[in-house]
Amino acid sequence: MLNATDILQTLDMLDRQHLDIRTVTMGINLLDCAHPDMDRCAQRVYDKICRKAENLLPVANSIEAELGIPIVNKRISVTPIAMVAQASAGEDLTPIAAAMDRAARSCGVNFIGGFSALVQKGLTDGDRRLIESIPRALAETELVCASVNIGSTKAGINMDAAAALGRVVKRTAELTADRGSIGCAKLVVFCNAVEDNPFMAGAFHGPGEPECAINVGVSGPGVVHTALQDARGKPFDEVAELIKKTAFRITRMGQLVARTASERLGVPFGVVDLSLAPTPAVGDSVARILEEMGLEVCGTHGTTAALALLNDAVKKGGLMASGRVGGLSGAFIPVSEDEGMIAAARSGVLTVDKLEAMTCVCSVGLDMIAVPGDTPAETIAAIIADEAAIGMVNNKTTAVRLIPAAGLGVGDSVDFGGLLGTAPVMPVHRESPAAFIARGGHIPAPIHSLKN
Amino acid sequence: MRAIVSVFSKDRIGIIADVCAVLADMRVNVLDLSQTIMDGLFTMVMLVDTATSDKSFGEIQTALARSGEALALNIRIQREDIFNAMHQI
């Protein structure tokens, strides 16, 4: 029989350390929904999502009950809509977003991702229409998430798209000003976007993916934090070992859930995303793990090194636990969704510049950061360009999810509620990069993109 | 299906008897049992087999939850797989 101590340890992780499966996400191919008529295309999108995902919620709920582990989110990702809708006549793609929103409600999921375009090398007409439709689509829907990939290591950075996305982020904030500019919390600008990411808001079902797939994102900052409390004062080698062991356990559980969901739904298993995803709950914070390593406040000197160790150990521990690893895989640092990050940002120790440095060594990017509502579009575009440059040169995914909170300034906070949390408005540099952004064009791919 | 039943409670006489009676009523077979008092708290984990029962896993789960309330016990049943996944390679 299993060791009783092991069983009790698992129960303690579930009861007191916020161990959960963060998301079971079904990826669905929608390429066969294209139609010259926009309304017909929207109807096909709705019908196909509902058909494929009708059992997602009941199956996830039954697994949750039998295994006794919470599956916090059940979600859907779809083919980038720019590819699906470009055959349809009409400038505004909001009807497709509305159909996605209705389908997500019918299936009972809490987000649907894939109102997306991949424009790292240039825009198709469908990409252009999608990008221009984002502000209205996000304002008029609740569950739809949008993303745009503007750069890659192979293609360089599309600076025209970066400039356009700066304006789109601003417009999205304005159109949802009455709700704390929440539209921007559902919009991610990527470099090196991955095609099998189960996490929102950046999830989409890439063109290289199968017809349908189940991707699972695990969590567990609280478990890692608790484990590290037994290693106070110990050298980093021991810290890394402890994190690896913990990540292995967490990921094995994710693999079990993914395999079970895949079997019951009759849908191929895609990937387990080895992530440490925080929530605003006390005891579920990545920032507190970094502080447990010996930092007085997250954001002080040493934070980048601590995060680098954490991110690497999570991957090494998780890798052996899963048959197929993918997605973003690493530690997430969304400010508004992490109780310790919120506190560090409020204290002024954690700044946007430090967060940018941290994104060089962790899984994604500048995530869920509120900035003053009067931040110019060019400044947002320049932040996007900086982050994309880090991703492009370092062969990694980076992303920007900024919320220029309409009408608010430094010292204010935006409360989104739920998992999206509370974002203290953080200062950005006031000196203008407008002339830099106005150049447009393309930043060439780095020399190490030529690997063949 | 093999599953783990875990029980936490303030210690008193007859907890094991009460839980086993509920399981026996549903024809759930107990395969192994480990019990201790941790910090004054009665703590028990049992390995059980639900294959002998004519009830579904969901029904067993609901019945145990109801008994837990009636007997003032924190009791739950989970598939064994989750513990195997976390602790056995």
Side-chain angles (χ1 to χ4, degrees), chain A residues 1-2 4 6-11 13-15 19 65-69 248-249 252 256 260 264, chain B residues 4 6 8 32 34 38 43 45 47 57 61 76 78-89:
Chain A
M1 183 188 172
L2 281 152
D6 289 343
I7 293 174
L8 294 174
Q9 185 191 39
T10 301
L11 294 176
M13 287 179 184
L14 292 168
D15 293 345
L19 178 61
E66 286 172 25
L67 295 180
I69 176 144
F248 177 82
R249 292 202 173 105
R252 286 270 290 190
L256 172 66
T260 312
R264 290 193 188 174
Chain B
I4 300 288
S6 53
F8 302 96
D32 201 347
S34 166
M38 281 169 60
T43 305
V45 290
L47 176 65
F57 194 81
Q61 209 159 30
R76 76 181 112 171
Q78 294 160 276
R79 272 170 51 188
E80 187 195 22
D81 308 19
I82 182 171
F83 302 99
N84 284 337
M86 286 189 95
H87 298 286
Q88 293 183 354
I89 297 178

Side-chain angles (χ1 to χ4, degrees), chain A residues 55-113:
Chain A
N55 290 326
L56 177 61
L57 198 67
V59 164
N61 286 344
S62 69
I63 295 171
E64 189 172 23
E66 286 172 25
L67 295 180
I69 176 144
I71 300 174
V72 181
N73 299 300
K74 295 91 183 173
R75 292 169 170 174
I76 296 169
S77 64
V78 298
T79 308
I81 291 298
M83 295 178 178
V84 180
Q86 58 185 310
S88 307
E91 276 296 302
D92 185 9
L93 304 189
T94 305
I96 310 286
M100 291 165 68
D101 201 51
R102 283 199 310 277
R105 281 174 208 283
S106 298
C107 299
V109 299
N110 59 1
F111 275 122
I112 180 165

Side-chain angles (χ1 to χ4, degrees), chain A residues 116-170:
Chain A
S116 306
L118 312 175
V119 302
Q120 59 271 25
K121 214 163 179 183
L123 274 70
T124 64
D125 187 52
D127 294 331
R128 179 190 59 76
R129 285 187 282 150
L130 181 122
I131 291 172
E132 287 172 5
S133 305
I134 287 174
R136 193 175 156 215
L138 294 182
E140 294 185 7
T141 60
E142 214 174 307
L143 309 180
V144 174
C145 294
S147 57
V148 179
N149 190 62
I150 59 130
S152 74
T153 303
K154 288 299 277 182
I157 303 171
N158 182 343
M159 288 298 289
D160 291 323
L165 264 301
R167 294 189 294 273
V168 165
V169 170
K170 283 288 284 185

